[in-house]
Amino acid sequence: MNRLERKKKLIALLILRHLTIDDEDEEYMLHEHWNLRKKVSEIYNKRENEGIFKMLINNHLVDEEQRFKSYFRVTREMFAYILNLVEGDLTTASYNRVKTPITAAEKLALTLRFLATGESFRSLAFGYRISPSAISTFVPKVLAAIQKQLVPIYLPSPDQINWNQKAEEFKKRWDFPNCVAAIDGKHVRIVAPSKSGSLYFNFKGFFSIVLLAMIDANCKFVVIDVGSYGKEGDAGIFNKSKMGLLVKNETIFPPSTLLPHSNILVPHVIVGDKAFRLSEHIMKPYSKTQMLEDPNKRKFNYRLSKARRVSENAFGIMCAIFRIFFTPINLKPETVDSVIVVCCCLHNMLRDDYIHRNPSQLVIYQDVEDFPTQNMIPLAGTGGFTKSDGFQVRSRFTDYFSTQDFTI
């Protein structure tokens, strides 16, 4: 019988006997409450000897690279690198009440495991011998520290990116010249925040936060915008986002160049699906009716879809690695934003490691399992108004692809 049941039984007996709680009854209840707290605290007091960090990680995983990466989703070198960056922000000095505070390594290990599995804090508490209240306190701090250190490295500002190189990679690997990135937006499922009304309720019928991202030819996130309400439409999100301003101001696009082996001059573009507005620098596919009527337009749709696939691959890879996206995330919205940004940074770190280890391989991801279809879904396909310049640029690409020797 737990403490709550004992308390209910005592109160019920007092009510039945028409008694009031006297000093003796109150002393009994306090005694029972203290015994329960003492039993619970004994579990967490054994953290140094019985916790996962001591028994599993330090005694076994630290010497096995493959299992270490399977557990944390990052290698030992990556773990040490991240720890070196955030250790100063996460280290707590000992004091009278706490002689051995939770170390920065333990906090980082638990946070990475949380991202890798999406386990509840109560579940992690039993394994790591750390109370759920302590976990809920330091996990947002760990995420903030990782975001602070990794964003400048793995998500640098657009003016620090070599966009000509991005265009060359798309040309070589995805057969789409003058393309600097693919753009896509996804709804990340969350538990409805308190007193949020319908702000986060999207058109699919669940609560979400929107991740809008530009992805390069290596399935890496280049520019991201996180935090928009799930109820917002794609046009509104894009227009107010960092990407919308970059496209409007044309700050990321190199000068217009001729397409390979032709005299067709076109500007550099980003490719997206039908949810985005066709413009001079945003290419979207033709409608189904137009595609069926004209084989050249069908070829254009094929080449655009081939290049745009990197965005679907990037989201799929990130979800497969960080299983927190498999379930509704039960955190405050601002903490969910940090989760998404940190996962994007870690994803880019892992992609860099993969490319370094496999320089000769095309960075193409093959499906190995079913990806979550209800946690990360595309934006609604409305598209907004189309600019006339967009038709002209798309027609030039269509004419160019129609001359290429390939079959669908």
Side-chain angles (χ1 to χ4, degrees):
M1 185 181 299
N2 59 34
R3 178 180 65 86
L4 183 59
E5 291 174 345
R6 292 176 182 173
K7 184 176 180 180
K8 288 181 178 179
K9 184 177 180 180
L10 177 60
I11 294 175
L13 288 173
L14 294 173
I15 293 175
L16 289 174
R17 296 177 184 176
H18 304 284
L19 298 175
T20 58
I21 299 179
D22 55 20
D23 293 340
E24 184 178 350
D25 296 324
E26 185 176 359
E27 182 180 355
Y28 169 75
M29 293 173 63
L30 290 173
H31 179 70
E32 291 294 320
H33 176 68
W34 174 254
N35 287 339
L36 180 65
R37 285 192 61 184
K38 186 176 180 181
K39 290 180 181 179
V40 173
S41 63
E42 288 178 356
I43 298 176
Y44 304 132
N45 288 336
K46 297 179 180 180
R47 168 174 53 86
E48 296 182 38
N49 299 321
E50 298 181 358
I52 285 179
F53 191 81
K54 169 66 176 179
M55 299 297 293
L56 177 63
I57 299 172
N58 285 342
N59 290 347
H60 299 284
L61 298 185
V62 72
D63 296 324
E64 301 183 32
E65 177 65 41
Q66 188 60 38
R67 291 185 178 179
F68 187 96
K69 185 176 181 180
S70 178
Y71 186 83
F72 287 118
R73 304 297 193 264
V74 297
T75 63
R76 289 176 297 181
E77 290 77 11
M78 292 179 186
F79 185 92
Y81 174 70
I82 299 172
L83 179 61
N84 182 58
L85 292 175
V86 302
E87 189 170 13
D89 296 329
L90 303 180
T91 301
T92 303
S94 60
Y95 53 98
N96 292 337
R97 289 184 57 191
V98 181
K99 301 297 183 182
T100 55
I102 304 171
T103 64
E106 289 177 288
K107 294 177 182 178
L108 178 61
L110 188 146
T111 302
L112 290 178
R113 185 59 180 172
F114 170 63
L115 298 179
T117 63
E119 288 185 68
S120 67
F121 289 165
R122 188 168 295 276
S123 174
L124 292 167
F126 287 110
Y128 282 85
R129 300 294 196 270
I130 302 173
S131 67
S133 60
I135 295 175
S136 63
T137 300
F138 70 70
V139 163
K141 295 180 181 179
V142 176
L143 292 171
I146 296 175
Q147 180 178 343
K148 173 185 174 183
Q149 298 294 337
L150 294 189
V151 165
I153 302 173
Y154 294 100
L155 283 173
S157 60
D159 57 355
Q160 298 178 7
I161 298 174
N162 187 342
W163 294 102
N164 284 307
Q165 180 182 352
K166 299 297 181 184
E168 188 65 23
E169 290 173 351
F170 264 99
K171 173 185 172 183
K172 289 182 177 180
R173 299 187 176 183
W174 301 103
D175 296 329
F176 203 108
N178 285 31
C179 174
V180 297
I183 187 172
D184 203 357
K186 296 294 181 180
H187 289 274
V188 178
R189 183 189 286 263
I190 63 172
V191 175
S194 176
K195 300 179 181 180
S196 62
S198 60
L199 284 176
Y200 295 92
F201 195 72
N202 63 36
F203 72 101
K204 278 291 187 177
F206 61 85
F207 296 87
S208 65
I209 287 177
V210 177
L211 163 62
L212 191 63
M214 289 172 57
I215 295 97
D216 69 6
N218 293 318
C219 302
K220 292 170 52 181
F221 294 98
V222 182
V223 183
I224 64 172
D225 181 84
V226 180
S228 296
Y229 298 127
K231 74 166 189 175
E232 297 184 73
D234 59 284
I237 294 174
F238 179 75
N239 288 336
K240 73 175 185 179
S241 69
K242 182 188 300 184
M243 276 145 284
L245 295 176
L246 291 175
V247 173
K248 181 179 179 180
N249 300 330
E250 301 183 3
T251 56
I252 65 173
F253 300 105
S256 301
T257 59
L258 295 174
L259 294 176
H261 311 295
S262 73
N263 58 354
I264 302 176
L265 181 69
V266 296
H268 284 77
V269 299
I270 56 179
V271 293
D273 58 16
K274 63 180 181 179
F276 297 94
R277 179 186 305 177
L278 179 66
S279 68
E280 182 182 5
H281 293 290
I282 300 180
M283 291 293 99
K284 60 183 288 186
Y286 288 100
S287 67
K288 184 177 180 180
T289 303
Q290 293 175 303
M291 179 187 67
L292 294 176
E293 292 176 350
D294 189 342
N296 291 335
K297 293 179 180 179
R298 188 159 61 248
K299 290 181 180 180
F300 173 85
N301 278 12
Y302 170 80
R303 297 290 281 268
L304 183 138
S305 299
K306 182 179 179 181
R308 192 181 61 82
R309 187 171 61 178
V310 296
S311 62
E312 301 294 342
N313 289 347
F315 289 119
I317 295 170
M318 187 170 70
C319 286
I321 294 174
F322 301 106
R323 300 299 181 94
I324 190 173
F325 296 112
F326 273 51
T327 58
I329 304 176
N330 189 14
L331 296 171
K332 294 180 179 179
E334 55 270 22
T335 308
V336 176
D337 293 347
S338 296
V339 167
I340 297 172
V341 174
V342 168
C343 286
C344 289
C345 291
L346 295 176
H347 168 87
N348 284 357
M349 179 186 290
L350 292 169
R351 296 305 296 169
D352 284 341
D353 181 68
Y354 176 83
I355 296 170
H356 177 72
R357 296 175 185 270
N358 306 275
S360 61
Q361 296 184 15
L362 291 178
V363 190
I364 299 177
Y365 185 78
Q366 301 294 336
D367 293 345
V368 295
E369 58 181 304
D370 293 333
F371 292 139
T373 58
Q374 298 300 322
N375 298 332
M376 274 193 161
I377 63 169
L379 298 178
T382 55
F385 297 102
T386 301
K387 295 183 179 180
S388 59
D389 292 342
F391 286 111
Q392 298 176 7
V393 175
R394 188 167 66 175
S395 296
R396 294 174 194 169
F397 274 110
T398 303
D399 294 339
Y400 171 74
F401 291 140
S402 64
T403 63
Q404 303 300 301
D405 185 17
F406 76 96
T407 56
I408 300 177

